[in-house]
Amino acid sequence: MRRAIELSAKGRGVASPGALVGAVVVQGTEVVGEGFYTWDGLEHAEAQAVALAGDRARGATLYVTMEPCSHQGRTPPCANAVIEAGISRIVAASQDPNPKVDGNGFETLKSAGLTVETGLLQDVAERVNEAFVHSVRNKRPFGILKIAMTFDGKIATESGESQWISSEQSRFRAMEIRNGADALLTGSGTILHDDPLMTDRSGRPRRRPLLRAVIDRRGRVSPHAQIFTEPGVVVYTKLPHMELDPQHEVVVGTTDLVDVAQDLARREVQTLMLECGPDLAFDAVSRGIVDKIVTFVAPKILGGREIPAFGAPGVGKLSEAIELEDWNVEQVGPDLMMTAYVHRNH
């Protein structure tokens, strides 16, 4: 199962809006087939693995990170492929939250006489596949807020200089996260101060171009900003202040973050990454569109009262604080990379 989970992660960047799924066929003690899902590859991980195993799939055990589908989609039901291959036992980490599956795949396999076991390393498998699971259950993108800050919580100097607070190693890790995202969201302040490209420069494969979205509440963004040199930008604004090349889009009407997240969901955005200024960062967390926060902490102190990682008015009472959970800390070069999930009861 650990190998199946490892394989599932190979689909990052090339499986969305589908799930990250890995599969391993074991005959006795020997691995005889493996597979992982990619959207353009069409064939599901289970179907790949049993096809590779061939005749050796008969009587074998299939380890898979998520329940095999039982319905006709872009491909035939992979539960049928598993049955036809002669697999005798299936061990699945998790159930597919898709209402079209949601236990039906397991029932199909059981009805055909296969032994079905579930729950092995479920937490690990679902953590790898967290964006798909979240987007299906909650009908909105899985939001990741990325922050690079100093030891004293600043994202820039008082003069606004921010490049580069974090190390080269941290920036590479941030690009890896960006590679797994379908869309990148920022605010007009970041465009004005940093004039970023906001592209995926990880060098890793991705199925779709990174959609880049800008919240421009006050109509401040110039059509000459560097972000518009690459196609695929959506600007959300209340003020129809500019016209862009047809390779970009201006959405006039709302800049409400929940509305923006819903619009991105309609565009099949499964993972939404936010790289933005302090006010938008706090608004995004407090409005509930951020699920995971990844913070790179550099061993530097800037001092001053300006440009903290989180801004906006904030909360008035400790009892109103937005709580985080499931902490993880690792060292990346000279920096600390801290990952935490937003406690949903806020």
Side-chain angles (χ1 to χ4, degrees):
M1 184 61 78
R2 292 193 186 279
R3 174 58 179 163
I5 293 170
E6 180 183 345
L7 286 167
S8 73
K10 291 179 178 289
R12 189 167 282 116
V14 292
S16 177
L20 298 179
V21 182
V24 176
V25 177
V26 178
Q27 180 64 258
T29 59
E30 183 182 356
V31 172
V32 294
E34 293 185 339
F36 66 92
Y37 177 70
T38 63
W39 182 267
D40 290 337
L42 286 179
E43 197 171 49
H44 289 195
E46 307 93 310
Q48 293 176 45
V50 296
L52 187 61
D55 292 340
R56 303 190 71 184
R58 192 156 302 278
T61 296
L62 171 67
Y63 293 87
V64 63
T65 58
M66 196 167 70
E67 174 185 10
C69 67
S70 55
H71 66 290
Q72 176 69 46
R74 297 193 307 149
T75 61
C78 49
N80 291 359
V82 171
I83 294 167
E84 292 166 6
I87 293 288
S88 63
R89 174 174 171 254
I90 181 169
V91 181
S94 63
Q95 188 164 311
D96 189 338
N98 185 342
K100 293 180 180 179
V101 187
D102 198 21
N104 293 325
F106 290 146
E107 289 305 316
T108 299
L109 295 168
K110 289 176 183 176
S111 297
L114 278 72
T115 300
V116 177
E117 301 172 22
T118 62
L120 180 62
L121 297 181
Q122 179 176 342
D123 291 346
V124 180
E126 289 191 345
R127 182 57 55 90
V128 171
N129 202 27
E130 60 191 1
F132 173 80
V133 173
H134 175 277
S135 63
V136 170
R137 288 176 177 167
N138 298 285
K139 311 302 181 188
R140 69 165 176 82
F142 181 75
I144 303 174
L145 172 63
K146 172 256 172 180
I147 299 170
M149 70 180 193
T150 59
F151 187 77
D152 56 339
K154 303 298 172 59
I155 62 171
T157 66
E158 289 194 3
S159 65
E161 184 182 355
S162 62
Q163 297 179 338
W164 298 100
I165 281 178
S166 60
S167 65
E168 184 177 351
Q169 297 96 319
S170 291
R171 297 197 297 276
F172 178 76
R173 289 291 293 274
M175 276 294 168
E176 288 184 321
I177 300 170
R178 190 182 284 188
N179 173 253
D182 302 307
L184 185 60
L185 177 65
T186 195
S188 58
T190 298
I191 301 299
L192 292 172
H193 294 139
D194 298 338
D195 195 21
L197 279 169
M198 292 180 62
T199 52
D200 178 358
R201 300 185 295 280
S202 66
R204 297 189 171 196
R206 63 178 304 122
R207 190 182 76 83
R208 298 183 288 177
L210 180 66
L211 188 157
R212 290 159 298 145
V214 180
I215 302 286
D216 189 15
R217 294 186 173 113
R218 289 172 280 175
R220 301 189 297 166
V221 172
S222 164
H224 304 295
Q226 191 171 216
I227 190 173
F228 298 118
T229 59
E230 296 284 339
V233 180
V234 180
V235 178
Y236 295 92
T237 183
K238 289 184 177 180
L239 303 172
H241 62 290
M242 65 176 175
E243 292 185 4
L244 293 173
D245 187 281
Q247 63 185 346
H248 307 298
E249 182 180 351
V250 179
V251 178
V252 180
T254 182
T255 58
D256 180 84
L257 289 172
V258 174
D259 292 340
V260 168
Q262 290 174 343
D263 181 70
L264 291 172
R266 287 190 287 271
R267 299 170 189 264
E268 292 192 321
V269 170
Q270 185 183 102
T271 303
L272 172 62
M273 187 173 178
L274 296 91
E275 298 187 35
C276 54
D279 289 350
L280 184 56
F282 186 81
D283 287 348
V285 175
S286 60
R287 292 283 284 151
I289 71 165
V290 172
D291 304 282
K292 181 179 182 179
I293 302 177
V294 180
T295 305
F296 296 93
V297 182
K300 303 170 184 176
I301 294 176
L302 297 181
R305 294 183 174 87
E306 303 300 322
I307 321 186
F310 290 94
V315 301
K317 301 177 182 179
L318 281 174
S319 60
E320 298 171 342
I322 298 170
E323 297 182 356
L324 306 178
E325 57 190 5
D326 294 345
W327 275 98
N328 181 65
V329 180
E330 65 175 289
Q331 187 160 356
V332 178
D335 305 332
L336 290 182
M337 176 181 171
M338 303 191 301
T339 302
Y341 291 81
V342 180
H343 186 51
R344 288 270 62 101
N345 287 342
H346 81 270

